[in-house]
Amino acid sequence: IDAQIVDYMTKTVQLESLTDFANFWTTAEFEKGVQDDVVKQVPGFQDASQPAARIQIARLRVAWRRARDQTTAKLPIKKTRTMPHTSTDKPVGMGWTSPEVTSTTLDGLWAAMVDNARNPQKFMDVSDVTVADRPDFIARSMTINPMQWHAEEHIYANERTGEVIYRLVDADTKQETKDERVIAVKENPLRMEFFHRHVSDGYRLYWKAPIGSVQNMVQELINYAASNMGKGEA
């Protein structure tokens, strides 16, 4: 997939994970969606009849199918109560909060979130994963296989605030981007929250990713935490 296409998806559409990509369109709309929502929006590929654009459309359709297959595959872990789903095509917007989590504990959820940051291959179809501890953050790079996209991130895990913060690193400048994706765990009741915000001032940003993408991620984290905590059914 062309670097300009990947750049548009990650920086403009804000698809920052395999799950975001897989849930951005439904099965009925993805073929037209990758063409109209992505490829035709990128300079140099706006004429969908041209060979260069047709190649990118075909590659993205294949990548979407692979991503969908990967994110809908069930993990071989103990069954937990499934969260009720709202409409999955709505955007996360200014933030999304999960229903109360009853099948694991605060410590279990936090451990799952950190393990997800350090071992993404347990949760998604990635390869060439490298993780290095820095003084204040985790430096992570990996190839997202369905998209053949190499992603670099700095991840900040703050147990005091209950936040795991993801900042993409620009491939050219090697500098962090100006916004960050936040996964937070909250108490009373136990729940999880997802949102985007500015790094500089902490103000939230509108997140275009579909709610379904974060719902799937939350359910995977809850299942993983419950399995490793030995909680079983909620």
Short mmCIF file of all heavy atoms in Angstrom, two decimals, residues 107-137:
data_model
loop_
_atom_site.label_atom_id
_atom_site.label_comp_id
_atom_site.label_asym_id
_atom_site.label_seq_id
_atom_site.Cartn_x
_atom_site.Cartn_y
_atom_site.Cartn_z
N ASP A 107 -6.70 -4.30 39.00
CA ASP A 107 -5.34 -4.78 38.76
C ASP A 107 -5.27 -5.68 37.53
O ASP A 107 -4.31 -5.63 36.76
CB ASP A 107 -4.82 -5.54 39.98
CG ASP A 107 -4.52 -4.61 41.16
OD1 ASP A 107 -4.37 -3.40 40.93
OD2 ASP A 107 -4.47 -5.11 42.30
N GLY A 108 -6.31 -6.51 37.35
CA GLY A 108 -6.34 -7.39 36.19
C GLY A 108 -6.44 -6.62 34.89
O GLY A 108 -5.74 -6.94 33.91
N LEU A 109 -7.28 -5.60 34.86
CA LEU A 109 -7.41 -4.77 33.66
C LEU A 109 -6.13 -4.02 33.35
O LEU A 109 -5.69 -3.96 32.21
CB LEU A 109 -8.55 -3.77 33.82
CG LEU A 109 -9.95 -4.16 33.33
CD1 LEU A 109 -10.88 -2.98 33.47
CD2 LEU A 109 -9.91 -4.64 31.90
N TRP A 110 -5.51 -3.47 34.39
CA TRP A 110 -4.28 -2.72 34.18
C TRP A 110 -3.18 -3.63 33.62
O TRP A 110 -2.46 -3.26 32.69
CB TRP A 110 -3.81 -2.06 35.47
CG TRP A 110 -2.54 -1.29 35.29
CD1 TRP A 110 -1.28 -1.64 35.68
CD2 TRP A 110 -2.40 -0.03 34.61
NE1 TRP A 110 -0.37 -0.70 35.30
CE2 TRP A 110 -1.03 0.30 34.64
CE3 TRP A 110 -3.30 0.84 33.99
CZ2 TRP A 110 -0.53 1.47 34.07
CZ3 TRP A 110 -2.81 2.00 33.41
CH2 TRP A 110 -1.44 2.31 33.45
N ALA A 111 -3.07 -4.83 34.18
CA ALA A 111 -2.07 -5.77 33.70
C ALA A 111 -2.31 -6.13 32.24
O ALA A 111 -1.36 -6.25 31.45
CB ALA A 111 -2.07 -7.04 34.57
N ALA A 112 -3.58 -6.30 31.85
CA ALA A 112 -3.91 -6.61 30.46
C ALA A 112 -3.55 -5.45 29.53
O ALA A 112 -3.05 -5.65 28.42
CB ALA A 112 -5.39 -6.95 30.33
N MET A 113 -3.79 -4.22 29.98
CA MET A 113 -3.48 -3.04 29.17
C MET A 113 -1.97 -2.92 28.94
O MET A 113 -1.52 -2.61 27.83
CB MET A 113 -4.01 -1.79 29.85
CG MET A 113 -5.54 -1.69 29.83
SD MET A 113 -6.21 -0.50 31.04
CE MET A 113 -5.48 1.04 30.47
N VAL A 114 -1.19 -3.18 29.99
CA VAL A 114 0.27 -3.10 29.85
C VAL A 114 0.78 -4.23 28.97
O VAL A 114 1.68 -4.04 28.13
CB VAL A 114 0.94 -3.13 31.24
CG1 VAL A 114 2.46 -3.23 31.10
CG2 VAL A 114 0.57 -1.88 32.03
N ASP A 115 0.20 -5.42 29.13
CA ASP A 115 0.62 -6.55 28.30
C ASP A 115 0.28 -6.30 26.84
O ASP A 115 1.05 -6.66 25.93
CB ASP A 115 -0.06 -7.84 28.78
CG ASP A 115 0.66 -9.09 28.31
OD1 ASP A 115 1.89 -9.03 28.08
OD2 ASP A 115 0.00 -10.13 28.18
N ASN A 116 -0.85 -5.65 26.59
CA ASN A 116 -1.23 -5.28 25.23
C ASN A 116 -0.20 -4.33 24.62
O ASN A 116 0.13 -4.43 23.43
CB ASN A 116 -2.61 -4.63 25.25
CG ASN A 116 -3.09 -4.23 23.87
OD1 ASN A 116 -2.76 -4.87 22.87
ND2 ASN A 116 -3.88 -3.19 23.81
N ALA A 117 0.30 -3.41 25.43
CA ALA A 117 1.30 -2.46 24.94
C ALA A 117 2.63 -3.16 24.64
O ALA A 117 3.28 -2.86 23.64
CB ALA A 117 1.51 -1.35 25.97
N ARG A 118 3.01 -4.09 25.50
CA ARG A 118 4.31 -4.74 25.35
C ARG A 118 4.29 -5.93 24.39
O ARG A 118 5.33 -6.28 23.80
CB ARG A 118 4.82 -5.21 26.72
CG ARG A 118 5.22 -4.08 27.64
CD ARG A 118 5.86 -4.60 28.90
NE ARG A 118 6.41 -3.51 29.71
CZ ARG A 118 7.60 -2.97 29.52
NH1 ARG A 118 8.38 -3.43 28.55
NH2 ARG A 118 8.03 -1.99 30.30
N ASN A 119 3.14 -6.56 24.25
CA ASN A 119 3.04 -7.77 23.43
C ASN A 119 1.84 -7.69 22.49
O ASN A 119 0.87 -8.45 22.62
CB ASN A 119 2.91 -9.01 24.34
CG ASN A 119 4.09 -9.17 25.26
OD1 ASN A 119 5.18 -9.57 24.84
ND2 ASN A 119 3.88 -8.88 26.54
N PRO A 120 1.87 -6.77 21.53
CA PRO A 120 0.70 -6.57 20.66
C PRO A 120 0.37 -7.80 19.82
O PRO A 120 -0.77 -7.97 19.38
CB PRO A 120 1.12 -5.40 19.78
CG PRO A 120 2.62 -5.43 19.78
CD PRO A 120 2.98 -5.88 21.17
N GLN A 121 1.36 -8.68 19.61
CA GLN A 121 1.12 -9.88 18.81
C GLN A 121 0.11 -10.82 19.46
O GLN A 121 -0.47 -11.69 18.80
CB GLN A 121 2.44 -10.63 18.56
CG GLN A 121 3.09 -11.24 19.78
CD GLN A 121 3.96 -10.26 20.56
OE1 GLN A 121 3.93 -9.06 20.31
NE2 GLN A 121 4.74 -10.77 21.49
N LYS A 122 -0.15 -10.65 20.75
CA LYS A 122 -1.17 -11.46 21.43
C LYS A 122 -2.59 -11.01 21.06
O LYS A 122 -3.54 -11.76 21.25
CB LYS A 122 -1.00 -11.37 22.95
CG LYS A 122 0.26 -12.01 23.50
CD LYS A 122 0.28 -11.89 25.02
CE LYS A 122 1.52 -12.52 25.63
NZ LYS A 122 1.52 -12.39 27.12
N PHE A 123 -2.70 -9.79 20.57
CA PHE A 123 -4.02 -9.19 20.36
C PHE A 123 -4.33 -8.84 18.91
O PHE A 123 -5.47 -8.56 18.59
CB PHE A 123 -4.14 -7.91 21.21
CG PHE A 123 -4.00 -8.14 22.69
CD1 PHE A 123 -2.74 -8.16 23.28
CD2 PHE A 123 -5.11 -8.36 23.48
CE1 PHE A 123 -2.60 -8.37 24.65
CE2 PHE A 123 -4.98 -8.57 24.85
CZ PHE A 123 -3.72 -8.58 25.43
N MET A 124 -3.31 -8.81 18.04
CA MET A 124 -3.56 -8.41 16.65
C MET A 124 -2.54 -9.07 15.73
O MET A 124 -1.53 -9.63 16.19
CB MET A 124 -3.50 -6.88 16.50
CG MET A 124 -2.17 -6.27 16.83
SD MET A 124 -2.16 -4.45 16.72
CE MET A 124 -2.81 -4.03 18.33
N ASP A 125 -2.81 -9.00 14.43
CA ASP A 125 -1.95 -9.63 13.43
C ASP A 125 -0.80 -8.68 13.08
O ASP A 125 -0.91 -7.85 12.17
CB ASP A 125 -2.77 -9.96 12.18
CG ASP A 125 -1.96 -10.67 11.11
OD1 ASP A 125 -0.81 -11.07 11.39
OD2 ASP A 125 -2.46 -10.81 9.98
N VAL A 126 0.29 -8.79 13.84
CA VAL A 126 1.46 -7.95 13.61
C VAL A 126 2.72 -8.82 13.60
O VAL A 126 2.71 -9.96 14.07
CB VAL A 126 1.60 -6.86 14.70
CG1 VAL A 126 0.42 -5.89 14.65
CG2 VAL A 126 1.71 -7.48 16.08
N SER A 127 3.80 -8.27 13.08
CA SER A 127 5.08 -8.97 13.06
C SER A 127 6.21 -7.95 13.23
O SER A 127 5.96 -6.74 13.28
CB SER A 127 5.25 -9.74 11.74
OG SER A 127 5.16 -8.85 10.63
N ASP A 128 7.43 -8.46 13.32
CA ASP A 128 8.60 -7.59 13.48
C ASP A 128 8.43 -6.63 14.65
O ASP A 128 8.79 -5.45 14.58
CB ASP A 128 8.87 -6.79 12.20
CG ASP A 128 9.05 -7.69 10.99
OD1 ASP A 128 9.68 -8.76 11.14
OD2 ASP A 128 8.57 -7.34 9.90
N VAL A 129 7.89 -7.14 15.74
CA VAL A 129 7.64 -6.30 16.92
C VAL A 129 8.94 -6.07 17.68
O VAL A 129 9.67 -7.01 17.99
CB VAL A 129 6.60 -6.94 17.85
CG1 VAL A 129 6.40 -6.10 19.11
CG2 VAL A 129 5.28 -7.14 17.13
N THR A 130 9.23 -4.83 17.96
CA THR A 130 10.35 -4.48 18.84
C THR A 130 9.84 -3.56 19.93
O THR A 130 9.08 -2.62 19.66
CB THR A 130 11.50 -3.80 18.08
OG1 THR A 130 11.03 -2.57 17.51
CG2 THR A 130 12.04 -4.70 16.98
N VAL A 131 10.24 -3.84 21.15
CA VAL A 131 9.83 -3.04 22.30
C VAL A 131 11.07 -2.71 23.11
O VAL A 131 11.87 -3.59 23.44
CB VAL A 131 8.81 -3.80 23.18
CG1 VAL A 131 8.49 -3.00 24.44
CG2 VAL A 131 7.54 -4.09 22.40
N ALA A 132 11.24 -1.44 23.42
CA ALA A 132 12.41 -1.01 24.19
C ALA A 132 11.96 -0.05 25.30
O ALA A 132 11.14 0.84 25.06
CB ALA A 132 13.43 -0.31 23.29
N ASP A 133 12.48 -0.26 26.49
CA ASP A 133 12.17 0.62 27.60
C ASP A 133 13.04 1.86 27.56
O ASP A 133 14.27 1.78 27.50
CB ASP A 133 12.38 -0.11 28.93
CG ASP A 133 11.32 -1.15 29.19
OD1 ASP A 133 10.13 -0.82 29.13
OD2 ASP A 133 11.68 -2.32 29.46
N ARG A 134 12.38 3.01 27.60
CA ARG A 134 13.06 4.29 27.68
C ARG A 134 12.80 4.88 29.07
O ARG A 134 11.96 4.37 29.81
CB ARG A 134 12.55 5.23 26.58
CG ARG A 134 12.79 4.69 25.18
CD ARG A 134 14.27 4.74 24.79
NE ARG A 134 14.50 4.38 23.40
CZ ARG A 134 15.02 3.24 23.00
NH1 ARG A 134 15.38 2.33 23.90
NH2 ARG A 134 15.21 2.98 21.72
N PRO A 135 13.50 5.95 29.44
CA PRO A 135 13.32 6.50 30.79
C PRO A 135 11.87 6.80 31.17
O PRO A 135 11.46 6.58 32.30
CB PRO A 135 14.17 7.78 30.76
CG PRO A 135 15.25 7.47 29.79
CD PRO A 135 14.59 6.64 28.72
N ASP A 136 11.06 7.31 30.23
CA ASP A 136 9.69 7.70 30.57
C ASP A 136 8.62 6.98 29.76
O ASP A 136 7.43 7.22 29.98
CB ASP A 136 9.51 9.21 30.37
CG ASP A 136 10.44 10.01 31.27
OD1 ASP A 136 10.52 9.69 32.46
OD2 ASP A 136 11.09 10.94 30.76
N PHE A 137 9.01 6.15 28.82
CA PHE A 137 8.01 5.54 27.95
C PHE A 137 8.53 4.23 27.37
O PHE A 137 9.70 3.86 27.55
CB PHE A 137 7.62 6.50 26.82
CG PHE A 137 8.76 6.91 25.94
CD1 PHE A 137 9.13 6.17 24.83
CD2 PHE A 137 9.49 8.07 26.21
CE1 PHE A 137 10.18 6.55 24.01
CE2 PHE A 137 10.54 8.48 25.40
CZ PHE A 137 10.89 7.71 24.30
#
